[in-house]
Amino acid sequence: MYECVGHGIAAAQTLFIPRGEPVELWDLTLENKSAQPRSLSVFSYAEFSYHQIPIDNQNFQMSLYCAGSRCGDGIIDYELFHEGAHQFMAASFRPDGFDCLRDSFLGPYRTEANPLAVERGRCFGSLEKGNNHCAVLQKRLTLVPGEKTRLVWMLREGGVGEGRRIREKVQRPGRGRRSPGRPSPVSGGQAVQAPGVHP
């Protein structure tokens, strides 16, 4: 678990793979510890690979043509054409924005230290067949003083159909156990609790 407090916002992030489901969960809790309402934009960021060291490290021209990405129903679907494989990123909330292209999200002559989309406060909605791909799902929210919220991102093998199944399982309220000390899951009015999805 990674925890920090800055500018009156407390954040705690846990990354884990639950028992019985091969999906990586990014579980983020935010709390407004200040005396005033705070409006936030929260972004995920994962950069996809090509699964092959020669493609990743040697054949740059070919690598720019061997994959594609899109976003539908709030799920990013990344496809490796030469393998027929898919990976997805989904979230426990309805995203307010997305980017599937690394260079659009970061911006020209920038790195992960200063992404253009984060500076401007909104994603570009980028997608393409070809290029370098990433998974960015954005959520805008306002927290009143003392309010807590929980957001969960899901990353795994599979296409949009598998993304919907996993998202439904993570969003399903009132099932399974809540880990001790976990805040009440209230992200965007959706519960985040399901069998087998807690560390």
Side-chain angles (χ1 to χ4, degrees):
M1 177 184 282
Y2 172 78
E3 296 178 301
C4 68
V5 179
H7 306 285
I9 300 295
Q13 182 183 37
T14 304
L15 291 109
F16 65 98
I17 297 172
R19 292 180 186 160
E21 197 66 79
V23 57
E24 183 175 294
L25 300 181
W26 303 1
D27 189 336
L28 176 67
T29 301
L30 299 168
E31 182 179 3
N32 182 0
K33 291 186 169 288
S34 75
Q36 58 193 21
R38 301 295 301 276
S39 293
L40 306 172
S41 279
V42 185
F43 300 82
S44 65
Y45 181 79
E47 191 173 326
F48 292 110
S49 79
Y50 299 112
H51 290 187
Q52 305 282 338
I53 291 174
I55 294 175
D56 269 338
N57 295 329
Q58 297 170 10
N59 195 342
F60 185 66
Q61 181 186 11
M62 189 267 189
S63 71
L64 293 178
Y65 296 100
C66 73
S69 58
R70 63 189 177 98
C71 186
D73 193 23
I75 299 168
I76 291 177
D77 178 25
Y78 170 70
E79 181 181 4
L80 282 168
F81 303 136
H82 65 284
E83 291 184 10
H86 290 259
Q87 289 86 45
F88 72 82
M89 176 174 273
S92 63
F93 52 86
R94 183 164 197 80
D96 296 310
F98 74 91
D99 272 311
C100 297
L101 296 178
R102 182 191 66 189
D103 295 344
S104 295
F105 176 71
L106 296 180
Y109 307 106
R110 289 170 176 255
T111 70
E112 289 82 357
N114 61 342
L116 183 59
V118 173
E119 283 188 11
R120 74 183 210 142
R122 65 184 187 278
C123 290
F124 293 91
S126 61
L127 56 107
E128 189 173 298
K129 288 188 176 180
N131 221 317
N132 293 297
H133 300 274
C134 67
V136 177
L137 294 174
Q138 177 186 6
K139 182 63 180 171
R140 294 188 193 100
L141 53 122
T142 299
L143 299 177
V144 299
E147 185 179 3
K148 240 181 221 187
T149 193
R150 185 171 171 207
L151 308 170
V152 180
W153 289 265
M154 301 139 237
L155 185 64
R156 86 165 262 179
E157 295 280 329
V160 172
E162 185 64 5
R164 287 190 186 106
R165 183 187 75 79
I166 293 294
R167 181 177 62 193
E168 210 290 310
K169 186 173 185 179
V170 170
Q171 289 176 338
R172 192 179 309 139
R175 306 289 291 272
R177 298 175 317 216
R178 185 175 305 163
S179 296
R182 277 287 158 109
S184 176
V186 293
S187 67
Q190 297 176 345
V192 181
Q193 185 178 5
V197 296
H198 294 294

